[in-house]
């Protein structure tokens, strides 16, 4: 259903200025950029941005001149440094999925029930809060923290947050008996359960800071111009196939 909504909303959407520029349609690209920025075509901001796009397109054409369709493919897999890049991109997608963030999101109501949240509405509310936490954390990390901390440190801190929070949840589930009609956690056990719920929220923040940000950023940054389109496309195909 969501894909159908996207398809309907995409009808009538303009092609990107960069794509139009790559096809030699410079006037149409400038007109589209003018509509996107809500500024006249002769505005300095629009003209500067279009000049940057034209320059990038020309550099890419020069870098791939005479290679044909097989050239970038050979360069991507026959050059050792590019093989390392493609492996880094693929592994970042694989490990991001294997970090467990998606599983926690899918089975969040079950997790919250195991941690002491009773009632269907309470479990759904806790799950909704978890989604909001991940959304806000993803925006803050993408717009501010990743550039402030750097790619490597952001990934390291994110993994540590995920690991410690999930370790606490695992210890809680191993120590506290399963919640049933005959057993309800009280006192310290109840407070520990509340802390475990908070730990799940913290794991969402760690995922947003680490794998969620890095898996997209490095894909856009590590490939040289000559193989960037091919390498990035392969990594993103693997990303969706791995979900």
């Amino acid at each position: 259903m969501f894909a159908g909504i996207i398809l309907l909303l995409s009808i009538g959407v303009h092609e990107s200025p960069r794509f139009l520029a790559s096809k030699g349609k410079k006037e149409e690209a400038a007109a589209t950029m003018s509509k996107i920025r809500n500024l006249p075509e002769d505005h300095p901001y629009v003209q500067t941005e279009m000049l940057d796009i034209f320059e990038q397109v020309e550099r890419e054409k020069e870098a791939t001149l005479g290679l044909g369709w097989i050239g970038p493919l050979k360069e991507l897999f026959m050059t050792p440094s590019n093989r390392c890049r493609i492996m880094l991109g693929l592994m970042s997608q694989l490990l991001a999925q294997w970090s467990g963030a998606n599983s926690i999101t899918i089975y969040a109501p079950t997790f919250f029930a195991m941690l002491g949240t009773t009632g269907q509405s309470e479990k759904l509310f806790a799950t909704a809060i978890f989604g909001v936490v991940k959304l806000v954390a993803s925006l803050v990390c993408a717009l501010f923290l990743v550039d402030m901390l750097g790619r490597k440190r952001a990934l390291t801190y994110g993994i540590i947050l995920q690991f410690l929070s999930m370790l606490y949840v695992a210890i809680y589930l191993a120590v506290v008996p399963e919640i049933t009609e005959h057993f309800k956690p009280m006192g310290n056990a109840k407070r520990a359960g509340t802390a475990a719920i908070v730990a799940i929220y913290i794991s969402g923040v760690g995922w947003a800071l680490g794998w969620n940000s890095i898996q997209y950023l490095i894909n856009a940054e590590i490939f040289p111009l000559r193989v960037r389109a091919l390498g990035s496309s392969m990594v993103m195909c693997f990303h969706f196939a791995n979900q």
Side-chain angles (χ1 to χ4, degrees):
M1 180 178 179
F2 183 67
I5 294 174
I6 293 177
L7 177 62
L8 291 175
L9 293 177
S10 66
I11 297 175
V13 174
H14 296 284
E15 291 286 359
S16 71
R18 197 178 189 285
F19 173 80
L20 294 171
S22 68
K23 299 301 180 181
K25 301 178 180 179
K26 295 186 177 182
E27 294 79 7
E28 192 174 345
T32 302
M33 180 63 73
S34 174
K35 293 178 181 178
I36 293 174
R37 300 304 183 196
N38 197 25
L39 295 170
E41 291 186 33
D42 58 354
H43 192 279
Y45 186 88
V46 174
Q47 291 186 339
T48 300
E49 193 163 7
M50 290 310 304
L51 286 175
D52 290 340
I53 291 176
F54 294 150
E55 184 180 351
Q56 291 174 9
V57 169
E58 289 302 319
R59 286 207 307 266
E60 289 184 9
K61 287 182 178 179
E62 291 175 2
T64 58
L65 185 64
L67 291 179
W69 68 270
I70 196 67
L73 191 63
K74 290 175 61 178
E75 184 172 349
L76 184 63
F77 288 101
M78 300 302 290
T79 305
S81 59
N82 286 337
R83 285 203 300 269
C84 290
R85 291 184 176 100
I86 195 71
M87 182 59 67
L88 177 61
L90 294 176
M91 289 304 297
S92 68
Q93 305 298 330
L94 185 67
L95 294 176
Q97 296 299 321
W98 285 7
S99 68
N102 286 345
S103 298
I104 294 174
T105 302
I106 294 171
Y107 298 105
T110 303
F111 275 111
F112 289 129
M114 295 169 64
L115 298 175
T117 303
T118 58
Q120 187 66 20
S121 59
E122 287 80 2
K123 288 185 288 185
L124 292 177
F125 179 74
T127 303
I129 295 297
F130 181 55
V132 172
V133 168
K134 289 180 67 175
L135 173 62
V136 174
S138 296
L139 291 174
V140 172
C141 292
L143 296 176
F144 304 105
L145 291 183
V146 172
D147 285 330
M148 289 174 58
L149 296 174
R151 309 306 191 243
K152 185 177 180 179
R153 282 200 295 174
L155 178 60
T156 302
Y157 295 161
I159 291 174
I160 291 173
L161 279 177
Q162 272 191 280
F163 170 73
L164 293 178
S165 57
M166 288 298 96
L167 178 63
Y168 178 83
V169 172
I171 292 173
Y172 172 84
L173 293 176
V175 172
V176 178
E178 183 179 356
I179 298 173
T180 63
E181 294 181 358
H182 305 290
F183 173 76
K184 302 291 183 183
M186 301 295 292
N188 290 335
K190 185 175 182 179
R191 287 189 286 272
T194 302
I197 293 174
V198 174
I200 289 184
Y201 293 152
I202 293 175
S203 75
V205 175
W207 172 80
L209 177 61
W211 287 118
N212 182 56
S213 299
I214 298 304
Q215 65 176 328
Y216 300 108
L217 284 174
I218 63 172
N219 179 40
E221 296 174 345
I222 60 176
F223 294 105
L225 276 177
R226 292 165 66 91
V227 295
R228 179 172 297 170
L230 178 61
S232 298
S233 299
M234 291 183 63
V235 171
M236 290 313 299
C237 284
F238 184 78
H239 166 78
F240 289 106
N242 189 43
Q243 285 187 330

